[in-house]
Amino acid sequence: MFIHIGNDHVIREEDVVLIIDRNMITSSNIMEEMMDNANVKQKVYGPSDEAKSIIITTEQIYYSSLSVAALEKRAGMVSTISKLDDFVEELE
């Protein structure tokens, strides 16, 4: 399934490694170094100036204007939908 993370980006749910608040990046030297390395490799997408959260996937890093809570709700909805059975055949 896919998650719309804002800023015209849609990612595969199974590719998500971590969703973190943007403020957490500046509190960790290791996280800052990781972001710097990803920027050098041009693997960071989205506007950083209006970002509320950062989504780290297996291949890229995305800045999102959505909060961590909003992204968790979207991911939870996708997870719930994917677990539903298809009852269309039973209705026919």
Side-chain angles (χ1 to χ4, degrees), residues 6-17:
N7 308 103
D8 296 327
H9 292 288
V10 178
I11 58 175
R12 292 177 7 158
E13 181 183 23
E14 58 265 14
D15 290 343
V16 175
V17 175

Side-chain angles (χ1 to χ4, degrees), residues 1-81:
M1 297 296 278
F2 295 91
I3 304 170
H4 181 268
I5 60 170
N7 308 103
D8 296 327
H9 292 288
V10 178
I11 58 175
R12 292 177 7 158
E13 181 183 23
E14 58 265 14
D15 290 343
V16 175
V17 175
L18 178 68
I19 300 174
I20 190 169
D21 188 273
R22 182 173 185 243
N23 295 329
M24 297 297 290
I25 297 296
T26 57
S27 66
S28 168
N29 291 337
I30 294 171
M31 293 296 281
E32 283 182 353
E33 185 177 334
M34 179 195 67
M35 292 300 291
D36 290 341
N37 287 335
N39 275 319
V40 168
K41 294 178 182 177
Q42 297 180 346
K43 293 192 173 210
V44 180
Y45 301 95
S48 63
D49 56 335
E50 59 186 54
K52 294 180 183 174
S53 60
I54 295 173
I55 299 99
I56 300 171
T57 68
T58 54
E59 299 293 324
Q60 291 94 12
I61 298 175
Y62 297 89
Y63 284 109
S64 175
S65 58
L66 301 174
S67 69
V68 173
L71 291 168
E72 285 178 346
K73 286 180 187 176
R74 288 183 181 199
M77 287 174 51
V78 168
S79 187
T80 300
I81 290 169

Side-chain angles (χ1 to χ4, degrees), residues 73-90:
K73 286 180 187 176
R74 288 183 181 199
M77 287 174 51
V78 168
S79 187
T80 300
I81 290 169
S82 67
K83 292 177 185 175
L84 294 176
D85 290 329
D86 185 6
F87 296 106
V88 174
E89 292 178 5
E90 292 179 13

